Amino acid sequence: MSLLEHPMGLKSELLTEFSEFEQVVFCNDQDTGLRAIIAIHNTAAGPAIGGCRMQPYPTMAEALEDVLRLAKGMTYKCAAADVDFGGGKSVIIGDPSTDKSPEMFRAFGKFVDSLNGRFYTGTDMGTTMEDFVHALKETNCIVGTPEMYGGSGDSSVPTAMGVIYALKATNKTLFGNDILAGRSYAIQGLGKVGYKVAEQLLEEGADLFVSDLDERLLEKITLKGKETGTQVKILKGDEIYSAEADVFVPCAVGGIINEETIEKLKVRAVAGSANNQLLHQKMGEKLQSRGILYAPDYITNSGGLIQVSDELYGSSKDRVLAKTKAIYYSITEVFSSAERNNLTTVEAANRMCEERIESRKRQNSFFLHNRRPKWDIRH
Ligand code: NAD
């Protein structure tokens, strides 16, 4: 456990920020092999909510760094979506293809339950809805399970829809109308979210450049393009960054907007679902100086959060749809606030969220278990 032996294994920036976190819990269960970390960043607006990522992190410090970054990001995402939840996240250290078992997820559920309603979780990269059906046997604090288990089902559906509304808002600002047709989009990643975004764009009459590591997904979207009569051009690896498209739509991994890729971009805007697209916040300034409009990722991809947080009030597809459509107005407001205040769009979005979080802090300094029934109809 390198972190315990070398607490300075954390990057200095996160070490300084560590005091911002309300609670960080290390979970070990020798019987099932579970090694997990739960990080609760801020519960001023309500209990923490955030998915559970499973990855074979090489060191405990890397797992801790990831969970802290992601938990803090969730505080901003909750504020941007204006839901009564705070930021949290969890990670399980292990290889999702070989190390999982139902017992491991039950053990994880017990640790989540021990937080007594301060943290709600569900799927993220490396975990599935089915994994959380096992965790649900030990705690009610699970969201995003299949509908037959009382959950709201696949969150990639509203996430993809939110990306589409963010693209419309981006087009409106760039081109004066929010029509998706007749424009071209470079989509990196055709997984659960990216494929749905690609399909919708083709149906609207847009042209696509696409990349994915999985050939089957590339073949499938090519067939879809033939059906809709629009262009689908497959690009290999890094070619996606220099695609001659109107908008780059990252829907795979984070950190892809960095010193190296930013120079290659020929697009007018970046708007996609991937979490933590900018390697550093400074990349927001670089994009702006190159005249590339950036739709902040945590607003663009908030449709999934909107759906799972809505579950706790009793799911309503109409309500989720209405709130997801509102991503259009949030992105538009961030673009105009950035323009008015001479900020990057990242700064404008952060400022909007920080004002909301401060206002909630003035009302509640932290979330208490005895207020839980007000939020979660299932308790
Ligand atoms: P996914 O695992 O279903 O899909 C990711 C796809 O990206 C896969 O098909 C994979 O082959 C491809 N990929 C990976 N690395 C690549 C690379 N270098 N180049 C091209 N393709 C690559 O994941 P998802 O659920 O679709 O999520 C995509 C992104 O959106 C992730 O960053 C995720 O954190 C974020 N996100 C997802 C949701 C959701 O509801 N699923 C919500 C918010 C944010």
Side-chain angles (χ1 to χ4, degrees), residues 195 198-200 202-203 218-230 232:
Y195 190 84
E199 213 172 25
Q200 179 72 32
L202 289 177
E203 276 164 16
L218 295 168
E219 280 163 25
K220 201 171 153 198
I221 203 68
T222 306
L223 283 176
K224 181 75 194 177
K226 285 191 177 133
E227 262 174 45
T228 53
T230 43
V232 176

Side-chain angles (χ1 to χ4, degrees), residues 148-173:
M148 65 179 152
Y149 287 94
S152 54
D154 185 357
S155 63
S156 66
V157 175
T159 303
M161 189 188 292
V163 174
I164 292 290
Y165 281 103
L167 287 171
K168 280 174 176 268
T170 303
N171 282 4
K172 174 81 179 162
T173 298

Side-chain angles (χ1 to χ4, degrees), residues 77-90:
K77 197 186 284 199
C78 288
D82 208 10
V83 296
D84 285 344
F85 287 90
K89 201 85 182 186
S90 50

Side-chain angles (χ1 to χ4, degrees), residues 155-156 159 188-189 191-193 211-213 217 251-252 273-275 301:
S155 63
S156 66
T159 303
Q188 182 182 47
K192 294 188 289 294
V193 179
S211 73
D212 199 287
L213 310 176
L217 293 168
C251 293
S273 78
N275 275 314
N301 69 17

